[in-house]
């Protein structure tokens, strides 16, 4: 886990590489869509830890608002009781199950958060950034957002629907407090121009720039028709708008107003990972709030696409919300972590199907990767009694493998660590796995083993050491993505004794050749990716 406070390198304070997920509504248990973003953040932060960087990874739950209140009422419990139950029985256990190595889990009902939210909003009010007014308009409880008329869609009867939830909007009229968001349009456009990578992917950036160019309306930052929220500090008849409350988690969780040293060492986030349906909140409202308070803006806001099932966005409301455990019980946790980032280009919509998962699992994980590890361990066991031999007869074929590993490291580090192109990074690693399989096939060590001459023995030893070293590099590269199976491979190669813990290996050093110790004990453990049984009914 990352440390709190400052660390020094070269006499200078080093800021944490800070990544956040959305904080998720606890109106129901998590589904694949929630886990998709959280796993992506986990892989990204594990990758940066594997680089040796100081990292902070935040996730959590959004527990205020009308949607939560109505869900609790429908279940005949208080909103707090509902939130406590869902967080402790569904959300936190799932992240643990999926191996999510978050440094903090923020809940918006925690005092460390609510006190700071009131202070932040009070500061804006004192600066004359907030005023009282009235508003009437279409409101989607599912989004907890007033919709612009142009955002709505119509059903066959002409009823106005939320484009995300496909449910009728409610026309609300109430007296609210407003944040002067309209004044920040020019400042936001100037910032977007100076920081073209702030909103990603490019399609999302274009959408936001065009939206702001059309002119911004002031933002209603309070609600007065219900009371499940953080009270407005100067007027307890109002509660703070749930999105203002929620966005501030990125600051309150790292010490805003409470621990200045930690805040300075962590804030702002380097990367906010979000779903594209909450893009405007994070790339328009959030930066405007920070500008108003004189705080630094995040490095980038990256919107992932939707997971689709049967052509519909995956969600509980349209009955396509699949539980991650439905898949991990069949494919395993590591394969689950790998599949969605491998199969779907991050930032684009992607369709999930059981058949596609099964096909990729069998072809790439079981046949290409798992079988390579098993064959290598079996041959070292058969021909050298499980002791890794020394390579003394390397040639062009071995140099090609070394070059292939170097290419995989460079490409994967750029794509995963910098560009958040998880798919391309994973493909680069598995292209190298295919290359090593091709090397084994071409060199035919089972035939070379029949040559008992010194030259034959040297050649066999070189082939097996080359394959083992290649897999050593693969274990390092795949550790952020598939930590359990990478650890099993690391132990199978006998790497821990001479090289230390897998988590201490650096991505940037993974291509340094010859690191596995000659004489290391290579063991054939359990199959990394067992053959799949039939799909459960």
């Amino acid at each position: 886990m990352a440390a709190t406070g400052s660390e020094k390198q070269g006499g200078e304070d080093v800021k944490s590489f800070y990544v956040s997920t959305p904080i998720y509504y606890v109106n129901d248990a998590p589904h694949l869509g929630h886990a998709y973003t959280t796993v992506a953040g986990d892989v990204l932060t594990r990758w940066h830890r594997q680089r040796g960087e100081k990292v902070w990874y935040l996730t959590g739950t959004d527990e205020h608002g009308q949607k939560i209140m109505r869900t609790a009422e429908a279940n005949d419990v208080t909103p707090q009781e509902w939130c406590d139950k869902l967080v402790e029985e569904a959300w936190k256990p799932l992240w643990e199950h999926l191996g999510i190595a978050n440094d903090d889990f923020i809940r918006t009902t925690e005092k460390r958060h609510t006190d700071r939210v009131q202070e932040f909003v009070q500061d804006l009010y004192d600066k004359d950034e907030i005023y009282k007014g009235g508003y009437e308009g279409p409101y989607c409880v599912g989004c907890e957002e007033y919709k612009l008329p142009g955002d709505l869609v119509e059903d066959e009867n002409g009823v106005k629907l939320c484009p995300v939830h496909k449910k009728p909007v409610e026309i609300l009229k109430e007296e609210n407090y407003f944040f002067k968001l309209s004044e920040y349009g020019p400042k936001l456009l100037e910032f977007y121009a100076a920081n073209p990578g702030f909103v990603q992917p490019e399609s999302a950036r274009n959408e936001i720039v065009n939206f702001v160019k059309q002119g911004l309306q002031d933002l209603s930052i309070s609600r007065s028709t219900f009371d499940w929220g953080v009270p407005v500090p100067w007027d307890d008849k109002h509660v703070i708008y749930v999105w203002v409350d929620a966005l501030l988690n990125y600051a309150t969780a790292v010490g805003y107003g409470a621990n200045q040293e930690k805040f300075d060492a962590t804030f702002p986030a380097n990367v906010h990972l979000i779903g594209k349906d909450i893009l405007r909140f994070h790339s328009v409202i959030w930066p405007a709030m920070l500008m108003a308070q004189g705080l630094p803006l995040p490095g980038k806001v990256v919107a992932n696409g939707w997971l689709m099932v049967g052509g519909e966005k995956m969600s509980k409301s349209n009955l396509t919300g699949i539980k991650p455990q439905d898949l991990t019980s069949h494919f395993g946790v590591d394969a689950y972590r790998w599949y969605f980032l491998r199969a779907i280009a991050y930032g684009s919509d992607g369709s999930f199907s059981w058949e596609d998962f099964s096909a990729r699992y069998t072809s790439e994980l079981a046949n290409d990767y798992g079988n390579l590890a098993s064959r290598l361990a079996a041959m070292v066991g058969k021909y050298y009694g499980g002791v890794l031999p020394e390579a003394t007869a390397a040639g062009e074929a071995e140099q090609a493998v070394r070059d292939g590993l170097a290419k995989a490291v460079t490409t994967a580090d750029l794509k995963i660590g910098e560009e958040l192109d998880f798919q391309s990074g994973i493909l680069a690693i598995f292209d190298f796995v295919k290359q090593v399989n091709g090397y084994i096939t071409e060199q035919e060590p089972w035939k070379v083993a029949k040559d008992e001459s010194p030259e034959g023995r040297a050649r066999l030893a070189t082939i097996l050491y080359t394959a083992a070293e290649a897999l050593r590099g693969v274990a390092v590269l795949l550790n952020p993505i598939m930590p359990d199976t990478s650890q099993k491979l690391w132990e199978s190669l006998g790497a821990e004794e001479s090289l230390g813990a897998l988590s201490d290996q650096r991505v940037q050093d993974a291509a340094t050749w010859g690191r596995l110790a000659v004489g290391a004990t290579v063991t054939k453990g359990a199959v990394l990716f067992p053959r799949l049984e039939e799909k459960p009914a």
Side-chain angles (χ1 to χ4, degrees):
M1 294 296 182
T4 59
S6 299
E7 292 181 1
K8 292 183 180 291
Q9 293 181 5
E12 296 184 359
D13 288 344
V14 177
K15 180 190 173 298
S16 294
F17 181 77
Y18 175 22
V19 176
S20 73
T21 72
I23 52 171
Y24 303 106
Y25 281 130
V26 290
N27 58 308
D28 212 329
H31 57 63
L32 293 187
H34 303 117
Y36 177 51
T37 311
T38 309
V39 168
D42 189 65
V43 169
L44 178 62
T45 47
R46 282 177 181 265
W47 191 274
H48 281 262
R49 287 192 184 100
Q50 201 83 49
R51 285 177 169 181
E53 297 175 18
K54 180 186 173 191
V55 171
W56 195 262
Y57 184 33
L58 175 69
T59 190
T61 45
D62 185 358
E63 303 181 13
H64 289 130
Q66 196 169 12
K67 179 163 60 174
I68 302 298
M69 185 184 73
R70 289 183 179 179
T71 302
E73 289 172 349
N75 286 274
D76 199 27
V77 294
T78 68
Q80 190 65 63
E81 288 172 336
W82 177 259
C83 293
D84 291 345
K85 177 180 174 65
L86 264 290
V87 168
E88 298 302 327
E89 296 182 8
W91 289 87
K92 285 184 176 180
L94 177 61
W95 298 157
E96 183 176 355
H97 174 65
L98 294 178
I100 305 301
N102 53 295
D103 296 280
D104 195 4
F105 188 102
I106 184 74
R107 298 181 58 184
T108 57
T109 52
E110 294 178 87
K111 184 175 175 59
R112 63 165 172 157
H113 174 74
T114 58
D115 285 355
R116 305 289 86 75
V117 168
Q118 287 188 308
E119 291 171 7
F120 187 99
V121 173
Q122 181 69 60
D123 285 346
L124 292 184
Y125 184 72
D126 293 343
K127 293 175 180 178
D128 198 32
E129 294 282 353
I130 292 174
Y131 65 92
K132 195 172 189 178
Y135 192 80
E136 181 177 7
Y139 192 85
C140 173
V141 175
C143 293
E144 294 283 11
E145 178 188 17
Y146 279 105
K147 296 293 184 179
L148 297 175
D151 291 337
L152 303 178
V153 296
E154 292 186 358
D155 66 9
E156 62 276 9
N157 298 315
V159 176
K160 300 291 187 180
L161 307 178
C162 166
V164 177
H165 293 91
K166 303 296 191 297
K167 290 184 176 181
V169 292
E170 302 177 17
I171 302 300
L172 298 183
K173 181 178 181 180
E174 58 183 333
E175 183 182 67
N176 295 333
Y177 287 94
F178 289 82
F179 168 58
K180 297 178 180 178
L181 180 63
S182 60
E183 296 183 1
Y184 287 88
K187 297 177 184 178
L188 287 168
L189 291 173
E190 182 181 353
F191 178 79
Y192 301 150
N195 300 274
F198 175 67
V199 181
Q200 297 180 16
E202 187 175 357
S203 58
R205 179 185 185 277
N206 293 338
E207 174 192 331
I208 290 302
V209 170
N210 290 334
F211 174 73
V212 176
K213 283 182 176 179
Q214 293 171 13
L216 297 176
Q217 296 182 1
D218 288 346
L219 175 71
S220 171
I221 61 99
S222 75
R223 298 291 307 280
S224 57
T225 55
F226 63 91
D227 62 0
W228 179 239
V230 180
V232 170
W234 63 88
D235 188 345
D236 60 10
K237 295 183 179 65
H238 294 249
V239 294
I240 295 169
Y241 175 42
V242 65
W243 268 104
V244 173
D245 167 7
L247 288 165
L248 283 168
N249 92 89
Y250 306 126
T252 62
V254 294
Y256 173 76
N259 185 338
Q260 192 64 40
E261 182 181 3
K262 179 179 178 180
F263 187 72
D264 292 342
T266 314
F267 195 84
N270 295 72
V271 181
H272 285 311
L273 296 177
I274 62 166
K276 66 178 182 180
D277 50 334
I278 55 174
L279 179 62
R280 292 179 186 176
F281 297 103
H282 287 80
S283 55
V284 178
I285 296 174
W286 178 228
M289 288 167 56
L290 294 173
M291 287 176 176
Q293 200 67 292
L295 293 172
L297 273 60
K300 61 182 70 170
V301 175
V302 183
N304 62 255
W306 288 342
L307 293 185
M308 314 290 283
V309 175
E312 291 286 337
K313 177 197 174 189
M314 189 173 295
S315 71
K316 292 290 184 182
S317 59
N318 61 28
L319 305 180
T320 58
I322 301 171
K323 293 190 298 184
Q325 295 92 330
D326 295 339
L327 300 183
T328 59
S329 62
H330 185 70
F331 296 98
V333 170
D334 269 15
Y336 175 95
R337 290 171 58 93
W338 166 85
Y339 170 74
F340 289 96
L341 298 181
R342 158 65 183 91
I344 301 169
Y346 201 76
S348 301
D349 293 345
S351 295
F352 162 76
S353 76
W354 192 281
E355 292 72 21
D356 184 62
F357 197 160
S358 297
R360 292 183 190 275
Y361 176 101
T362 299
S363 174
E364 297 179 42
L365 295 185
N367 292 349
D368 287 350
Y369 179 33
N371 191 45
L372 174 61
S374 294
R375 291 168 73 197
L376 181 277
M379 287 189 287
V380 174
K382 179 177 181 180
Y383 302 129
Y384 290 95
V387 177
L388 188 66
E390 183 178 5
T392 57
E396 290 183 3
E398 287 69 43
Q399 185 61 49
V401 174
R402 294 175 65 167
D403 293 344
L405 177 57
K407 179 181 178 182
V409 169
T410 299
T411 302
D413 195 26
L414 173 65
K415 295 299 181 181
I416 296 174
E418 299 300 325
E419 298 180 0
L420 278 69
D421 182 356
F422 301 103
Q423 184 182 64
S424 294
I426 291 171
L427 285 173
I429 300 168
F430 275 81
D431 282 346
F432 177 63
V433 169
K434 290 180 183 292
Q435 180 185 350
V436 179
N437 272 310
Y439 167 79
I440 292 290
T441 299
E442 291 171 2
Q443 300 306 313
E444 299 180 312
W446 49 90
K447 289 186 178 180
V448 176
K450 296 176 182 179
D451 183 353
E452 297 291 343
S453 69
E455 293 79 11
R457 297 298 291 173
R459 185 69 198 138
L460 177 63
T462 297
I463 295 169
L464 297 185
Y465 184 87
T466 299
E469 258 294 88
L471 281 171
R472 188 264 314 154
V474 170
V476 175
L477 294 177
L478 289 180
N479 190 42
I481 304 157
M482 298 190 286
D484 289 343
T485 48
S486 296
Q487 180 62 35
K488 291 176 182 176
L489 176 58
W490 192 251
E491 293 172 0
S492 171
L493 294 171
E496 190 125 4
E497 184 175 348
S498 59
L499 297 178
L502 177 56
S503 60
D504 292 336
Q505 311 306 307
R506 298 291 164 251
V507 165
Q508 55 269 35
D509 298 331
T512 301
W513 197 260
R515 302 199 70 211
L516 277 179
V518 173
T521 301
V522 178
T523 56
K524 187 175 182 180
V527 175
L528 295 183
F529 299 99
R531 183 177 66 86
L532 294 173
E533 302 298 329
E534 290 188 11
K535 176 183 176 182

